[in-house]
Amino acid sequence: MKISVRAQNCTAEGAFEVLAKAKALEREKGIKVIHLEIGEPDFPTPARVIASCKNALDQGHTHYTPAAGIPELREAVAQYLNKHRGADYEPSDVLISTGGKLLIFATCMTFLEEGDEAIYPDPGYPPYRSAIRLAGGHPVPLPLLEEDDYRVDIDRLSKLITPKTRLIILNSPQNPTGGVLPRADLEKIAEVVKSSNAVVFSDEIYSHLIYDKNVPHVSIATLPGMKERTVLMDGMSKTYAMTGWRLAYATVPREFFSPMQKIINNTVSCTPTFVQYAGIDALLGDNPEVEMMKEKFAKRRLLMVKLANQIPGFHAREPLGAFYLFVNVKEILSKYQLSSKAFADHLLYQAGVAILGGSAFGDTGEGYIRFSYANSSPNIEEAMDRIRKIVVKDFPI
């Protein structure tokens, strides 16, 4: 029996691998692991959203829907984006999906032929590279550097684009760095894209989680000439603490809508009906929990930055968005000849703190470790204290 090359080249997402190791450690050794590896809000889904889902179940909304989603949710998404992005979308532009990963995959399947090139951020969300490979494309990493505040270097991007470039993936706010692309950068990127044959996939899943009021979220899809060549993706997982609900959406240029809809139809058929009804109340309802979560994340962000920078050999910039801290530990890794993954494993098994090595996000991520501050302040304080003690003992600088 032979396994396809595509399946062999598909890598698992590092956060889930570390989560499995951490759970095994808890189960087998009885150790209380502090989980800072997984990008999941530690808050419950807003009460109104849960009630809406229960109501949908009670009303019998448990059957198939059109592959693109129920009309009411597509209308809600268009209304939400037009209000919060300054966009101009119709419900017919909106495609509903069971999570953002399926939309990443569907986009790659829609635009990439065998050997076509797709540019993706490095460090960046691991499924980008996997989806490109599964679609038969050639992944081309776009390095995001700490000294550039993890913004896109326009000259570097321009040099990576070739006649084979069919897709350019952007992510702002960004996982794992917390970087945010300001309007001026996006305008320059748009001009570069418009001179190419590429379509943009704009991952905006952390759009609500920007902490500097002077740096508003801007979607490249709203810039002149970009709506018709941008797939804008957002969803409910991060903003509404709905990771397990698996609900996301994209706006798709009309000439590409039918092919992408067919991929949704041929993979999951449709998104669960009752979840879609809950999505309407998430987007349009009064959910005070959303702002409460953001305020908590903002405080945890500052706490984690302060505590990380007190650990010898740790150097952390203050992230502008998302809920991750990408910490430079090159000084430690160089002195002790360690990889970021080996260092993260050491902290898991010796300190009982689950984090991710930066190499999980691409070659440019080597030399860094990623923390998620989607955990309580007391847990963050204890985790950083445990790490500091282990670093001082095992890796003195």
Side-chain angles (χ1 to χ4, degrees):
M1 303 292 286
K2 181 183 176 183
I3 299 174
S4 72
V5 173
R6 287 181 179 177
Q8 292 179 54
N9 286 338
C10 183
T11 56
E13 188 180 344
F16 287 92
E17 291 185 331
V18 173
L19 176 64
K21 287 195 290 187
K23 290 293 186 183
L25 189 61
E26 289 175 320
R27 184 175 61 253
E28 296 166 8
K29 302 292 185 180
I31 296 173
K32 178 183 179 290
V33 174
I34 300 176
H35 293 272
L36 303 179
E37 82 281 25
I38 202 77
E40 177 173 44
D42 61 319
F43 302 103
T45 302
R48 181 188 181 111
V49 177
I50 294 173
S52 178
C53 181
K54 291 178 178 178
N55 184 55
L57 287 166
D58 289 340
Q59 292 184 0
H61 294 303
T62 57
H63 301 281
Y64 287 133
T65 77
I70 59 173
E72 297 91 336
L73 179 55
R74 297 174 75 191
E75 168 65 38
V77 169
Q79 184 177 332
Y80 176 85
L81 289 176
N82 294 344
K83 177 181 178 181
H84 294 281
R85 301 284 205 283
D88 182 24
Y89 287 112
E90 299 291 337
S92 57
D93 298 321
V94 176
L95 180 62
I96 305 302
S97 167
T98 47
K101 285 179 181 174
L102 180 56
L103 289 169
I104 297 169
F105 175 74
T107 300
C108 290
M109 290 294 291
T110 299
F111 293 106
L112 298 178
E113 299 280 9
E114 194 75 33
D116 284 344
E117 296 174 355
I119 296 172
Y120 69 98
D122 179 4
Y125 185 46
Y128 299 148
R129 182 172 53 184
S130 291
I132 292 166
R133 286 176 171 166
L134 284 171
H138 175 64
V140 178
L142 172 62
L144 303 179
L145 304 181
E146 182 180 3
E147 54 264 37
D148 297 331
D149 289 327
Y150 303 111
R151 290 158 59 176
V152 172
D153 182 288
I154 305 302
D155 290 337
R156 189 179 293 120
L157 173 62
S158 298
K159 290 175 182 176
L160 291 176
I161 295 175
T162 76
K164 290 186 176 181
T165 305
R166 295 290 181 268
L167 184 65
I168 298 172
I169 298 175
L170 300 177
N171 176 209
S172 178
Q174 211 247 348
N175 173 15
T177 68
V180 172
L181 294 175
R183 175 179 287 274
D185 287 14
L186 290 169
E187 289 172 346
K188 294 175 184 177
I189 293 170
E191 292 308 308
V192 171
V193 171
K194 285 187 284 188
S195 64
S196 74
N197 297 317
V199 168
V200 170
F201 179 85
S202 183
D203 182 347
E204 302 178 20
I205 197 74
Y206 298 97
S207 59
H208 182 70
L209 297 174
I210 296 179
Y211 306 104
D212 186 341
K213 294 180 180 179
N214 296 316
V215 186
H217 176 71
V218 178
S219 173
I220 195 170
T222 63
L223 300 182
M226 292 304 297
K227 177 182 176 183
E228 54 267 32
R229 60 192 308 158
T230 301
V231 176
L232 185 165
M233 188 272 282
D234 204 335
M236 314 305 183
S237 291
K238 314 300 182 180
T239 301
Y240 302 96
M242 293 175 68
T243 52
W245 296 65
R246 311 313 304 137
L247 182 59
Y249 56 83
T251 59
V252 183
R254 292 180 185 180
E255 62 180 303
F256 312 128
F257 193 95
S258 180
M260 281 192 65
Q261 178 181 240
K262 289 175 184 176
I263 293 170
I264 300 294
N265 183 230
N266 281 282
T267 48
V268 296
S269 295
C270 62
T271 300
T273 314
F274 44 91
V275 171
Q276 293 191 56
Y277 277 98
I280 298 170
D281 266 311
L283 290 171
L284 303 183
D286 180 18
N287 298 294
E289 298 96 326
V290 170
E291 286 305 315
M292 177 276 293
M293 287 188 277
K294 183 177 179 179
E295 290 173 6
K296 293 278 190 181
F297 288 141
K299 292 177 181 178
R300 295 170 181 180
R301 174 183 67 116
L302 297 177
L303 173 65
M304 183 171 274
V305 169
K306 182 184 77 171
L307 295 177
N309 281 319
Q310 291 174 359
I311 299 173
F314 280 38
H315 306 282
R317 287 177 178 244
E318 191 175 292
L320 292 176
F323 40 58
Y324 305 110
L325 187 65
F326 208 52
V327 181
N328 184 328
V329 290
K330 292 179 182 180
E331 187 179 5
I332 293 173
L333 302 187
S334 175
K335 180 174 180 178
Y336 293 94
Q337 296 297 295
L338 287 172
S339 68
S340 60
K341 181 179 183 301
F343 185 56
D345 282 344
H346 188 87
L347 295 180
L348 172 62
Y349 291 109
Q350 300 304 315
V353 181
I355 61 171
L356 295 182
S359 60
F361 302 95
D363 291 343
T364 310
E366 182 55 51
Y368 297 81
I369 51 177
R370 192 200 77 172
F371 296 84
S372 166
Y373 48 88
N375 205 325
S376 70
S377 292
N379 280 344
I380 289 171
E381 289 176 339
E382 181 175 347
M384 303 310 278
D385 184 58
R386 290 187 193 181
I387 290 173
R388 183 184 56 78
K389 290 175 180 176
I390 290 296
V391 168
V392 168
K393 178 173 73 76
D394 294 347
F395 307 106
I397 294 296

